[in-house]
Structures are given as C-alpha cells and as structure tokens.
C-alpha cells in the first residue's frame, strides 16, 4: 500500500516581500547616516507598497 506524500505549501509570500522589508531597513539606515528624513519616508512608502502588492498577489494565487 502506498501512502500519499503530503506536499508542503510554499510560503504565502515571495522574494518581493523580503525585498520590500529590506528596502525599509536600508532606508532607515541611510536616513540616519545622511540625516535626511525624506529617504526614510520614501523607503517606507515604496517598500510598503512592494510588500502589500506581493501579499495581494499571493492571496490571488490561493484562489
């Protein structure tokens, strides 16, 4: 008797999600180095948008 192998589900996010988080951390680092708040704001907006779009794509893939 052969038992079926249960496939593991991949993580619900892909590489872009991690890139968005990394972009936020880099923006925080460089905004402190150059004493420029606009770098932090831009990094949070762009990195957050990348993360959110990747989450929506993952949710769409689950359907």
């Amino acid at each position: 008797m052969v038992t079926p192998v249960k496939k593991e589900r991949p993580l619900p996010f892909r590489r872009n999600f991690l890139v968005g988080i990394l972009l936020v951390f880099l923006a925080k680092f460089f905004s402190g180095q150059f004493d420029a708040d606009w770098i932090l704001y831009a990094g949070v907006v762009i990195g957050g948008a990348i993360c959110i779009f990747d989450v929506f794509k993952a949710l769409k893939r689950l359907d």
Side-chain angles (χ1 to χ4, degrees):
M1 179 185 250
V2 177
T3 58
V5 176
K6 191 174 184 180
K7 287 178 67 175
E8 290 187 30
R9 280 188 135 170
L11 292 175
F13 51 83
R14 298 285 185 212
R15 181 183 52 184
N16 287 342
F17 187 79
L18 298 176
V19 168
I21 292 172
L22 181 65
L23 187 63
V24 171
F25 283 125
L26 286 174
K28 181 170 175 30
F29 173 74
F30 283 114
S31 70
Q33 291 293 320
F34 297 121
D35 198 26
D37 289 336
W38 66 271
I39 296 174
L40 179 62
Y41 300 142
V44 167
V45 168
I46 294 169
I50 290 171
C51 290
I52 289 170
F53 286 133
D54 195 49
V55 167
F56 282 131
K57 280 183 3 187
L59 289 175
K60 185 186 245 186
R61 233 183 355 253
L62 290 177
D63 288 340

